[in-house]
Amino acid sequence: MAKTGTTTQGLRAAIERSGYYPTLVAEAVQAAVGGEPVVSYLVHQETTFDANEVRRHVTVLVLTGTRFIVSHTDEQAADATSPSPYATTSTESVKLGRISSVVLSRVVANPESYTPGQLPREVVLTIGWGAVARLDLEPASCGDPNCEADHGYTGSSTADDLSLRVSEAGDGPDSVRETLTFAQALSEATAATTSSR
């Protein structure tokens, strides 16, 4: 389930509609947003299956005029550290100027008959701001099949701070549409921040 919009009241209502510890989630998000007006937001609840357990997770993305805020809330079953179930909520506030990439991958069925405006069956929104990077390394070579010298390593670094997958089959067409709307607002905001430097 994803919900998007542009007001603080709408954000609170979307969090409540998600039904996932709304008081806890809303308080954490509101504390991070503070008094700034909300430009756009996306609330995405996801259910996963872990062995014999069903786990729920909610991600709230908020765009203000100066920041991108991401909040995650996970629930955990009772374990050795806690005799009762518990939830963990974290928020991160990122200045728009720090966002280095907004990647939107679209999966479209029957691309030969694609028409403008057709809804993708799945989207993956990946946002990078440098907090987490993935390194892929492999041994370097010189191309000579007989060379036995050590050429060190070669590789690539990929910003991968947040990745959110939304599908029409699992989340519904409205959720896909709302993710596209938020991604566009965030892309436009980061472009405006870059051009004003």
Side-chain angles (χ1 to χ4, degrees):
M1 169 194 315
K3 298 291 173 202
T4 188
T6 58
T7 68
T8 302
Q9 291 173 327
L11 172 59
R12 175 68 187 230
I15 290 170
E16 288 176 3
R17 277 193 306 273
S18 79
Y20 185 81
Y21 307 117
T23 305
L24 173 67
V25 173
E27 180 180 55
V29 171
Q30 185 56 49
V33 171
E36 276 195 88
V38 173
V39 174
S40 186
Y41 62 82
L42 179 67
V43 178
H44 182 257
Q45 183 181 330
E46 184 177 19
T47 302
T48 57
F49 300 93
D50 182 17
N52 295 330
E53 295 180 6
V54 175
R55 293 185 186 260
R56 296 183 302 159
H57 171 89
V58 69
T59 301
V60 180
L61 308 179
V62 181
L63 175 63
T64 71
T66 61
R67 298 178 297 145
F68 166 68
I69 297 162
V70 58
S71 174
H72 296 288
T73 303
D74 292 292
E75 64 183 358
Q76 305 293 326
D79 58 22
T81 63
S82 176
S84 60
Y86 60 98
T88 303
T89 300
S90 62
T91 57
E92 184 173 0
S93 178
V94 181
K95 290 182 181 180
L96 287 177
R98 284 196 49 217
I99 296 178
S100 56
S101 65
V102 178
V103 179
L104 184 67
S105 300
R106 303 168 188 240
V107 177
V108 177
N110 303 313
E112 69 281 354
S113 59
Y114 177 80
T115 57
Q118 179 180 333
L119 197 62
R121 83 173 175 209
E122 178 181 310
V123 293
V124 178
L125 175 60
T126 305
I127 304 165
W129 58 90
V132 176
R134 184 178 66 241
L135 292 174
D136 294 319
L137 297 175
E138 60 185 40
S141 64
C142 66
D144 179 357
N146 297 319
C147 181
E148 295 181 12
D150 182 357
H151 294 285
Y153 289 89
T154 185
S156 62
S157 173
T158 308
D160 196 13
D161 295 302
L162 174 79
S163 190
L164 188 71
R165 178 184 171 271
V166 180
S167 71
E168 185 178 23
D171 303 294
D174 287 343
S175 294
V176 173
R177 197 173 290 109
E178 292 159 355
T179 303
L180 292 170
T181 300
F182 183 82
Q184 181 175 350
L186 183 60
S187 289
E188 289 171 358
T190 56
T193 301
T194 302
S195 65
S196 66
R197 286 186 198 169

